[in-house]
């Protein structure tokens, strides 16, 4: 099964909250009001799909889901 690494680019994040709402297992709000990743790697297909959905919904292209 594929493993992915999930990242947030803080420079691009505008703190809209979409990713926390879409995938709270993976993203949370940081003290600066921007997103942070709480699950940086996973092989769980359900969580991979949620991470990709959050990436697609991010209004500023701040989320990366990298297959490794
Ligand atoms: Fe930041 Fe994108 Fe998450 Fe919004 S969806 S909080 S812009 S990473």
């Amino acid at each position: 099964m594929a493993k992915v690494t999930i990242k947030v680019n803080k420079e691009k994040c505008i703190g809209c909250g979409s990713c926390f709402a879409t995938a709270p297992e993976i993203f949370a709000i940081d003290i600066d009001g921007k997103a942070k990743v709480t699950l940086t790697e996973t092989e769980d297909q359900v969580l991979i799909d949620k991470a990709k959905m959050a990436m697609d919904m991010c209004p500023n292209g701040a989320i990366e889901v990298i297959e490794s």
Side-chain angles (χ1 to χ4, degrees), residues 5-16 19-20 23 26-30 32-40 51 54-55 58 60-66:
T5 301
I6 304 155
K7 294 183 179 177
V8 167
N9 182 335
K10 290 256 191 182
E11 302 291 317
K12 290 186 178 178
C13 176
I14 57 171
C16 73
C19 60
F20 330 144
I26 302 166
F27 303 98
I29 188 166
D30 209 345
D32 58 6
K34 297 185 177 184
K36 67 177 177 182
V37 178
T38 55
L39 183 72
T40 54
M55 177 177 71
C58 176
N60 225 26
I63 297 172
E64 280 186 277
V65 179
I66 304 154

